[in-house]
């Protein structure tokens, strides 16, 4: 880009490559990870640039955090209200990555691509027995029964499990309704 250079009549197509796990965290065990915030900023720049007429999202992602995927969904939805958006799944466009591209005008994928995996899951890891073997005790003081929901320092109660299942089901219903709105079917 040359500062101040404007070429009249030149229209551009922006290409944004979305790879890896979608998360707001900026860590990785094997190399660098781009945060969902970075992708959102690139999408916003493409939306705000009047010379960009269309955006191609090149996707190779297993999805990721529900919050990051949802934020990206809304960013793509806003973009698609103003510009043509084409999503191309190069390898993997699953779960939250699929949710992100739902508002795209066109979704394409290679024959060997894996697309979809409409669903939500939550993981709770407990270390209670390990901590006991190590002689470590954890004391938790909380303002309500569910304040430490998902704590690794204790086993989940029946009430914890019920609440976590309800959260997962609510998130799934939202995801499923978005698929139906934008793509017309859920499999």
């Amino acid at each position: 880009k040359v500062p101040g250079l404007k070429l009249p009549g030149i229209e551009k197509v922006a290409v944004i490559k979305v790879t890896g796990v979608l998360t707001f965290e900026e860590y990785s065990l094997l190399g660098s990870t781009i945060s969902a915030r970075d992708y959102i900023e690139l999408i916003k720049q493409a939306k705000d640039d009047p010379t960009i007429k269309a955006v191609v999202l090149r996707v190779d992602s297993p999805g990721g955090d529900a919050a990051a995927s949802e934020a990206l969904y809304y960013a793509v939805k806003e973009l698609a209200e103003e510009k043509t958006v084409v999503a191309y799944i190069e390898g993997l466009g699953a779960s939250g990555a699929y949710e992100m591209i739902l508002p795209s005008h066109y979704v394409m994928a290679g024959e060997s691509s894996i697309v979809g995996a409409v669903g939500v899951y939550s993981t709770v890891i407990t270390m209670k027995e390990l901590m006991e073997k190590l002689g470590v005790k954890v004391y938790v003081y909380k303002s309500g029964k569910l304040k430490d929901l998902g704590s690794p320092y204790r086993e989940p109660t029946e009430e914890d499990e019920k609440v976590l299942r309800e959260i997962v089901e609510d998130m799934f219903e939202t995801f499923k309704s978005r698929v139906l709105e934008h793509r017309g079917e859920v499999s």
Side-chain angles (χ1 to χ4, degrees), residues 22-38:
L22 304 176
T23 178
F24 285 122
E25 300 298 322
E26 296 182 15
Y27 61 88
S28 175
L29 296 174
L30 303 170
S32 63
T33 295
I34 297 177
S35 166
R37 286 181 189 84
D38 298 324

Side-chain angles (χ1 to χ4, degrees), residues 127-146:
M127 299 182 288
K128 183 180 181 249
E129 290 180 26
L130 174 63
M131 301 288 273
E132 287 172 358
K133 286 181 182 178
L134 296 173
V136 176
K137 293 182 181 183
V138 176
Y139 299 94
V140 176
Y141 305 95
K142 55 189 179 178
S143 59
K145 285 193 305 187
L146 297 173

